Amino acid sequence: MHRTPPSPGRPRPARPYGGAPAAAGDALALGALTVLLLLLAPLLLLLGLLRPLLPARAAGAARLPLVWAAYLAGFSLTALAGSLRLRARGAGPDAWRLLTARCGRRFRRLAGRWSGLRFRIEPPDPMPDPGRPVIVLARHAGILNTQLAFTAVTAVLGLRPRGIAKRCVALEPGLRALLRGIPLALFRWDRAGRAAALAELTAQSRSLGPGEALWLYPEGTNYSAARRSASIARLRARGQHALADRAEAMPHLLPPHLPGALAVLAAAAPGTQVLVCGHTGPERLLPWMLGPGYAPGPGDLVRLRWWTFRADRVPTDPARFADWLYDRWHHLDTWIAATTDPAAPHRPHTHTHTHTEDLDPA
């Protein structure tokens, strides 16, 4: 059957089963990845044996290919093989959730064995009520962001993920296989695509149900020192000097985009729970992306932490919401500095917020 390719800016929703061509493509990718990993195995084994003996800088550089190999073997192969089984038996959403969680666990286990990468994940306290929908506002640290989002929602929260992503994420075969059963809408990331993505996120927020979590990156893209400088310059060009000053004081984060996050939260149903997710570690696999103001820290540790809020305590007035979200981002930036460099002094919150009732966690 002829398929009209999606136009720019139009979401391409995940198709749970995708038919025989999709199954054949996933089976081919599974075989190709298996052969590739077998061919690279001697080199990866040698690199893994030599890495502890290398100087710190060289050992850090050696970690990236080992982590990527662990990802392909642990996440991608598990996703491809599991998706073939689930599509064959017409499995439902909970089976896809469990498969995604299993992919994350196998990746973490192999990454620890092969590269020494450690994971320290703190669950939310309190845990979200499974009878209420959840919206997650997360930083956009670097590589493996989408995979981290999937596994955090499924393995840590025990919920089914929803959201949007750039269409390029489907180039990775493991993620593409999971998208057969996870309702993630994909977009071209041009002007029309970003507008359509915001409309889709707002619609998903409005229809979000119990047992589901909508994952949102207010920063919009991966962190880099160059992107941070450009984002702050755009704030000043628009005359938003107060926000630019606050962004300057957060060296580990990009300034969040306010209209998109506000629209998503304003569309949420009463009783929706809001989680702010902080994670640090993946960005250190690409140290050349970080600026001189980025706090030094271990390159072998990925940390993840949550803060919980009630949606009805999040202000909907644009000015008050800007204060609320920048307060959250300042707190997150301080946490990153403290966790990556325990000796770093605490940077006090210098912005005075007059609406303290909106800051109380749920």
Side-chain angles (χ1 to χ4, degrees), residues 22-336:
D26 287 350
L28 181 62
L30 177 62
L33 271 182
T34 303
V35 171
L36 175 64
L37 287 168
L38 288 174
L39 292 174
L40 292 177
L43 179 60
L44 293 171
L45 177 61
L46 179 62
L47 189 60
L49 292 173
L50 291 178
R51 188 189 59 80
L53 306 177
L54 298 174
R57 186 182 295 271
R63 179 172 287 114
L64 179 59
L66 291 171
V67 168
W68 192 247
Y71 169 76
L72 293 177
F75 191 99
S76 295
L77 288 183
T78 303
L80 287 163
S83 69
L84 289 171
R85 290 194 300 269
L86 294 187
R87 289 205 303 275
R89 69 171 190 252
D94 282 334
W96 287 92
R97 175 181 62 82
L98 293 173
L99 170 62
T100 305
R102 185 163 64 251
C103 294
R105 285 194 300 272
R106 290 187 177 175
F107 163 61
R108 292 195 299 273
R109 185 164 57 246
L110 290 182
R113 291 175 180 172
W114 294 0
S115 72
L117 193 66
R118 298 171 293 145
F119 292 84
R120 189 173 302 167
I121 299 175
E122 304 174 32
D125 185 17
M127 285 289 289
D129 180 354
R132 295 161 59 189
V134 172
I135 293 176
V136 181
L137 306 177
R139 76 169 298 209
H140 210 307
I143 63 172
L144 302 177
N145 272 294
T146 303
Q147 296 86 338
L148 181 65
F150 278 3
T151 55
V153 168
T154 56
V156 181
L157 303 182
L159 303 174
R160 297 185 299 275
R162 295 186 64 183
I164 61 101
K166 298 176 183 178
R167 289 180 63 181
C168 60
V169 304
L171 296 175
E172 197 283 298
L175 272 180
R176 185 172 64 248
L178 288 180
L179 293 182
R180 314 286 186 204
I182 294 178
L184 193 76
L186 304 179
F187 294 85
R188 296 182 187 273
W189 215 241
D190 52 16
R191 183 184 296 272
R194 288 192 293 271
L198 176 56
E200 171 68 15
L201 277 172
T202 305
Q204 288 190 23
S205 176
R206 193 174 293 116
S207 64
L208 200 62
E212 295 181 325
L214 175 59
W215 191 279
L216 174 66
Y217 292 112
E219 294 163 308
T221 191
N222 285 339
Y223 177 92
S224 74
R227 290 185 180 123
R228 176 175 174 271
S229 297
S231 296
I232 293 172
R234 283 193 293 271
L235 288 174
R236 296 201 185 281
R238 293 196 293 263
Q240 297 174 298
H241 297 290
L243 293 181
D245 290 341
R246 298 193 68 183
E248 290 276 12
M250 299 185 293
H252 308 93
L253 300 171
L254 300 178
H257 296 291
L258 298 170
L262 177 58
V264 169
L265 290 174
T272 299
Q273 301 164 101
V274 177
L275 299 182
V276 174
C277 179
H279 58 93
T280 182
E283 74 276 20
R284 298 188 181 282
L285 294 171
L286 306 174
W288 56 88
M289 303 287 285
L290 310 179
Y294 210 95
D300 63 345
L301 178 63
V302 175
R303 297 193 63 166
L304 187 146
R305 186 183 171 184
W306 313 78
W307 292 267
T308 308
F309 302 88
R310 293 209 318 255
D312 59 4
R313 305 297 288 273
V314 178
T316 55
D317 172 76
R320 295 176 68 198
F321 178 75
D323 280 342
W324 183 88
L325 189 56
Y326 268 74
D327 283 345
R328 307 280 69 76
W329 247 235
H330 176 94
H331 191 116
L332 179 52
D333 185 82
T334 302
W335 173 78
I336 294 169

